[in-house]
Amino acid sequence: MEAHEVKRNLNKVVAAPDGVRYKLTGATIRLNEKTGEYWYQAELQDLTALHSVRICKLEDVEVSAP
């Protein structure tokens, strides 16, 4: 997933890098102060354990087909 796709996919079901399905609940932008590079992280909520979240690279998240 690219950064411009986050708004469209918030609170929708997506696939994590290992293929497990989660709800996309947020995204965070981070800055590496040494290199000046930005990177994005996705916050994924477990569909069965609602108080459990997973953080991973946004680029590794795939939009699930409806």
Side-chain angles (χ1 to χ4, degrees):
M1 178 181 301
E2 298 291 326
H4 67 274
E5 298 175 287
V6 172
K7 284 184 183 179
R8 183 177 339 125
N9 292 297
L10 272 177
N11 292 323
K12 293 188 180 171
V13 176
V14 297
D18 57 3
V20 178
R21 293 167 39 113
Y22 292 89
K23 184 194 307 184
L24 177 66
T25 55
T28 304
I29 185 172
R30 303 260 183 212
L31 172 64
N32 182 330
E33 292 181 352
K34 292 181 181 179
T35 64
E37 294 179 332
Y38 292 96
W39 78 93
Y40 295 87
Q41 295 176 316
E43 179 185 280
L44 307 175
Q45 181 183 35
D46 193 304
L47 295 176
T48 55
L50 300 179
H51 294 287
S52 178
V53 295
R54 178 176 179 180
I55 305 297
C56 66
K57 293 180 183 178
L58 183 63
E59 63 198 36
D60 291 343
V61 175
E62 295 182 21
V63 178
S64 297

